[in-house]
Amino acid sequence: ARMLSDVAWTHESPIPYQDILRRNIDENATRRILTAKDFIANLPIVIEEQRGLTISDIAARARKQAAKFENDGGSLDVVFVDHMLLVRASQRYAGNRVREVAEISDGLASLAKELNCAVVALCQLNRGVEGREVKRPALSDLRDSGAIEEDASTVTFIYRPAYYLEQMRTDNEDQENVRLRSLQERRNDLELIVAKNRNGPTGKAMLFFDKRLTAFKNLAKERVEL
């Protein structure tokens, strides 16, 4: 539903994925969703839904898929792991979470090198950011192990200002008006913070984000259309 909602997205008439799940869509939206479905069906995307896989399991399935793509005249370009802390570690470091995460991190880095493809591993952050005045995440917020920072070629954080503005309600009328104005202005802003980049510069990129659709779009383009 999220993929369909994203592909069928238009600024004038977005289709929230919740409406797709509830089948609360009109005839026009249905046509757009069917068109999006046909588009997605032709993409070389394989989704592995089984949970609790080990690094060895992921590597074996990735190799199998890479061979299949190669036989079809294509290539395996990227593997997404959502999320890496759900990957099951071996029994080698059982009970030592830091070493377990290091094993997973190293395994994913080795897989990228072996298959010559990008491996994008999602990762949760610790709660340290919640106790700070400045909420933008930093490398120290990576959860459970510094090995993630060490092994990754690039570390990119997602930061959405509206998430925190929505929680900063106050009884002060002036401050509340300022908060509401800021929330309105930044509701669709999303920052991609490149905190580490082994082969290039670090920095920040701005995107347009629609929470109802989990849709990421070009911010400059959307502001022009507005």
Side-chain angles (χ1 to χ4, degrees), residues 138-189:
L139 290 171
S140 59
D141 296 316
L142 288 170
R143 189 170 177 177
D144 288 332
S145 175
I148 300 171
E149 176 187 348
E150 295 173 9
D151 291 330
S153 295
T154 303
V155 178
T156 302
F157 296 109
I158 294 177
Y159 173 69
R160 191 166 64 88
Y163 174 83
Y164 294 101
L165 287 169
E166 288 168 350
Q167 302 178 45
M168 294 169 56
R169 294 181 177 83
T170 175
D171 293 331
N172 184 294
E173 184 176 353
D174 291 337
Q175 292 179 357
E176 183 66 6
N177 287 335
V178 170
R179 182 189 74 86
L180 291 174
R181 283 197 299 271
S182 297
L183 178 59
Q184 183 61 31
E185 292 171 359
R186 308 210 64 183
R187 185 175 298 280
N188 297 115
D189 285 0

Side-chain angles (χ1 to χ4, degrees), residues 68-82:
K68 184 176 185 304
F69 281 145
E70 190 172 330
N71 289 336
D72 293 339
S75 63
L76 176 64
D77 297 323
V78 58
V79 175
F80 292 92
V81 179
D82 182 16

